[in-house]
Amino acid sequence: MDYEKESRMFNQMADYYDTYRPSYPDDIIEAIIQKTKLSAGSKLLEIGSGSGKATEQFTGNGFEILCIEPGVDLVKKGIEKFKDKNIEFTVSRFEDFCAPSGYFDTIFSAQAFHWVPQPAGYEKCAQILKKDGFLALFWNIEISYDTDFDKKFMTILNKYCGFVSTMQEADYQKRPETIIAGIAGSDLFKEPEMIQSHWDKQYTADEYYGYLLTGNVFVQNPDEEKQACCEEIKQLASDYNGIFKRHYICELYLTQKK
């Protein structure tokens, strides 16, 4: 995978990312804070922060947060958003980032750790975490079910490669086992605890199209194809009163350094 290219694509979508990417369930963020025993002054590192969607949910607790993000435009948005907070941004890919060993209490990554090359990613996390420090990895996964709407919806997404984090229900069942095996297989972290939070989000056709424009594959389509996708989504939405609901599973994998 060309990680540098992927970083550039996300940076081009900075405005859409900040507007249309969803946040994360409060119970997931609270689980991280409580289970890792974070308190005022705790040192956190975020990998792939984007413009600060997840970052924002950790503010107000007195944490010191350092955000690593390779997209210059995304970082500019984050700096402006958190200019009065104890949050710093560094423009870098995580594998190129230099940090003192044993420095951070917790490292977290929302919707981004799959972009980190392995095994270097787990190795660096273990190196810069304090003894018994925690690694918290979490994702919002959009689940597609065996319904008439979802069948029509997935046909459109398949036609235009319009996926951000969408999975068929049957395929999703295999995902947690794979991620848990990857973490445990690094031999640097304990068997992770997995916590799930189910939640729904309502979209208009325009809102969902904006969300699609945060997908690194879809955004590379020719403009006419993207517009055709938008029109098909609008037509489908019009058959369902203009509003449609998408179901998400937010999955948290919480593990401790050995």
Side-chain angles (χ1 to χ4, degrees):
M1 180 183 293
D2 188 340
Y3 292 101
E4 294 292 340
K5 178 183 176 182
E6 299 300 332
S7 296
R8 291 194 297 271
M9 294 307 302
F10 277 116
N11 190 57
Q12 290 177 23
M13 301 177 271
D15 289 337
Y16 290 100
Y17 184 100
D18 197 53
T19 302
Y20 294 108
R21 275 290 177 105
S23 298
Y24 302 88
D26 290 339
D27 57 333
I28 290 292
I29 306 303
E30 189 60 25
I32 296 171
I33 294 172
Q34 294 300 321
K35 289 178 176 290
T36 62
K37 297 181 172 58
L38 294 173
S39 59
S42 291
K43 295 177 174 59
L44 280 64
L45 174 72
E46 181 178 7
I47 299 172
S49 62
S51 61
K53 283 288 185 178
T55 320
E56 187 169 14
Q57 295 178 262
F58 286 89
T59 60
N61 296 285
F63 307 146
E64 297 178 17
I65 305 176
L66 175 60
C67 301
I68 305 299
E69 167 54 50
V72 175
D73 292 337
L74 286 164
V75 166
K76 287 179 180 177
K77 287 185 176 295
I79 291 174
E80 177 62 25
K81 189 185 300 184
F82 303 113
K83 58 186 176 183
D84 298 324
K85 306 291 185 181
N86 193 18
I87 298 173
E88 294 183 19
F89 282 80
T90 294
V91 177
S92 175
R93 288 195 55 81
F94 179 59
E95 57 268 30
D96 300 325
F97 168 67
C98 294
S101 297
Y103 184 79
F104 294 100
D105 296 289
T106 293
I107 296 174
F108 70 95
S109 183
Q111 217 78 18
F113 200 71
H114 55 287
W115 299 115
V116 178
Q118 300 301 343
Y122 288 119
E123 291 170 356
K124 177 162 282 191
C125 286
Q127 176 192 358
I128 64 179
L129 277 170
K130 293 180 179 178
K131 181 182 178 181
D132 299 325
F134 285 88
L135 176 63
L137 308 176
F138 53 108
W139 288 266
N140 279 324
I141 306 297
E142 179 186 349
I143 305 297
S144 180
Y145 294 95
D146 189 24
T147 65
D148 288 341
F149 177 86
D150 277 11
K151 288 176 183 177
K152 296 174 183 176
F153 193 69
M154 289 297 290
T155 297
I156 297 172
L157 296 189
N158 276 307
K159 182 178 179 180
Y160 296 103
C161 296
F163 299 105
V164 180
S165 61
T166 314
M167 295 187 73
Q168 297 276 9
E169 181 184 19
D171 295 333
Y172 176 75
Q173 305 306 318
K174 310 166 190 174
R175 174 182 165 86
E177 182 179 341
T178 301
I179 295 178
I180 289 170
I183 295 171
S186 72
D187 204 32
L188 298 167
F189 293 89
K190 298 178 181 178
E191 185 84 6
E193 177 182 4
M194 182 188 177
I195 301 171
Q196 291 182 327
S197 180
H198 291 249
W199 63 281
D200 296 318
K201 182 174 176 61
Q202 288 191 330
Y203 289 94
T204 64
D206 285 335
E207 288 169 343
Y208 196 86
Y209 179 67
Y211 174 57
L212 290 185
L213 289 172
T214 71
N216 60 312
V217 176
F218 179 75
V219 77
Q220 297 179 62
N221 286 337
D223 288 344
E224 59 270 20
E225 289 188 18
K226 286 185 284 192
Q227 187 58 41
C229 178
C230 181
E231 293 304 321
E232 289 194 35
I233 290 175
K234 285 182 178 180
Q235 182 58 53
L236 178 59
S238 70
D239 296 335
Y240 292 82
N241 299 316
I243 299 289
F244 55 91
K245 183 172 69 174
R246 305 304 297 152
H247 183 73
Y248 290 86
I249 299 175
C250 186
E251 50 177 23
L252 164 64
Y253 300 88
L254 186 63
T255 185
Q256 194 170 21
K257 177 179 172 179
K258 285 185 175 179

